[in-house]
Amino acid sequence: MNHTRTTNADLASESGLNNVATPWLTRHKKPSQRSSWLTRRYEIKWLTPNQEIQARNTIGPAIPMFEDAFSAFARGSLVQTPDGPVAVEDLHPGMLIDTVDGDPQPLLWIGAMALLPASSHPDISVSHLYRIAEGSFGISSGMPDLLLGSGARIMRSGVTGDPMARLIDIPDLCDGFSVIEVTPRSPARVFHLGMASHSLIQVNNVVTETYHPGLNPQMRLSEEMFQIFLSVFPHIRRLDDFGPLNHLRQGQD
């Protein structure tokens, strides 16, 4: 990625992150090509096999396959742990996370990125967050409203263990009442969480999922893009290391 350049010096930044202005979106162009594509900055933290925490920033394509891996939970979302709820931005790899479908599991990977207002760059579409109001779906959570990114899925159409239960993409639940679409006016930081296996966790007492790329994601990417995709998950070596998709998503039988 030595040919990445910033197209707008005043593109956008998130206050409080490293205390510097950050070029979140850039234009990538290969010398042999006239075309270029939009890339964005992704932040990753992971747990090594030696139980060390490592972190780095990286550049990747600004396409849904990548962005969905980083855009589930907005800053301030409360993730349930054995020691009580912890804000997602305060989690670190190695911490135990309560799972709905089993024992607590260690967090292995955290991804983060910034959602930018559409006005900050002419090539990006409008970024949305989705607010689940407390008491939505007839269940009182006893927690603040939950703000999710477009990469989040929540368990609906039954209860956990019900064969009819499915993980539903949060944009598909937007009804303007229980789930409200919100357009951020300034950069908004969002996160996703990865564990050793696809699991259900509670965030603001709402049942949602940890990250899993789904079935056959390589079919949607070129080999070059697929290798870049794998590189943002340093805790794994190959696609099979994500394990099976343990819970059905909408559209699956």
Side-chain angles (χ1 to χ4, degrees):
M1 293 293 179
N2 294 329
H3 305 287
T4 304
R5 63 183 177 85
T6 303
T7 56
N8 183 346
D10 299 317
L11 187 60
S13 65
E14 183 180 17
S15 61
L17 185 63
N18 298 329
N19 297 316
V20 295
T22 306
W24 290 102
L25 287 172
T26 57
R27 180 69 62 184
H28 182 88
K29 183 175 182 179
K30 290 185 177 181
S32 60
Q33 296 179 344
R34 292 183 179 180
S35 61
S36 60
W37 61 88
L38 203 63
T39 63
R40 69 158 62 245
R41 174 181 151 184
Y42 298 104
E43 302 169 62
I44 53 176
K45 295 181 181 179
W46 71 96
L47 193 68
T48 71
N50 295 328
Q51 303 300 299
E52 297 176 343
I53 298 174
Q54 295 194 11
R56 75 165 184 253
N57 296 332
T58 188
I59 297 296
I63 60 176
M65 185 71 190
F66 282 74
E67 293 177 337
D68 286 349
F70 292 81
S71 59
F73 312 114
R75 183 181 179 89
S77 300
L78 298 173
V79 179
Q80 190 63 39
T81 78
D83 296 321
V86 177
V88 66
E89 66 271 19
D90 293 331
L91 294 173
H92 57 78
M95 289 183 67
L96 287 178
I97 305 296
D98 283 341
T99 66
V100 176
D101 46 337
D103 296 330
Q105 298 293 325
L107 181 62
L108 300 184
W109 178 91
I110 304 172
M113 71 177 198
L115 293 180
L116 301 180
S119 59
S120 64
H121 196 284
D123 293 333
I124 66 171
S125 57
V126 176
S127 297
H128 296 298
L129 292 169
Y130 299 86
R131 184 182 298 279
I132 300 179
E134 196 282 331
S136 294
F137 311 118
I139 301 174
S140 179
S141 69
M143 287 276 190
D145 292 356
L146 176 59
L147 203 58
L148 298 173
S150 60
R153 295 181 180 87
I154 67 171
M155 183 63 75
R156 294 298 303 150
S157 302
V159 297
T160 305
D162 186 326
M164 297 301 294
R166 294 290 186 276
L167 285 159
I168 310 297
D169 296 352
I170 191 63
D172 292 340
L173 289 170
C174 185
D175 59 7
F177 179 70
S178 296
V179 180
I180 302 169
E181 186 178 84
V182 178
T183 302
R185 299 299 181 185
S186 60
R189 201 172 182 208
V190 287
F191 303 78
H192 217 326
L193 308 175
M195 296 161 71
S197 62
H198 182 225
S199 301
L200 299 178
I201 60 175
Q202 287 189 318
V203 183
N204 290 42
N205 283 348
V206 175
V207 177
T208 183
E209 66 171 353
T210 58
Y211 179 71
H212 192 287
L215 303 176
N216 299 319
Q218 189 171 5
M219 294 177 63
R220 297 187 288 172
L221 298 173
S222 67
E223 180 60 28
E224 179 186 9
M225 285 289 190
F226 182 69
Q227 293 304 319
I228 296 173
F229 175 75
L230 284 182
S231 73
V232 301
F233 303 100
H235 65 297
I236 68 168
R237 294 189 176 184
R238 59 184 187 275
L239 193 62
D240 290 346
D241 291 338
F242 282 108
L245 191 65
N246 291 328
H247 303 279
L248 294 176
R249 292 170 174 171
Q250 62 182 346
Q252 293 180 319
D253 296 330

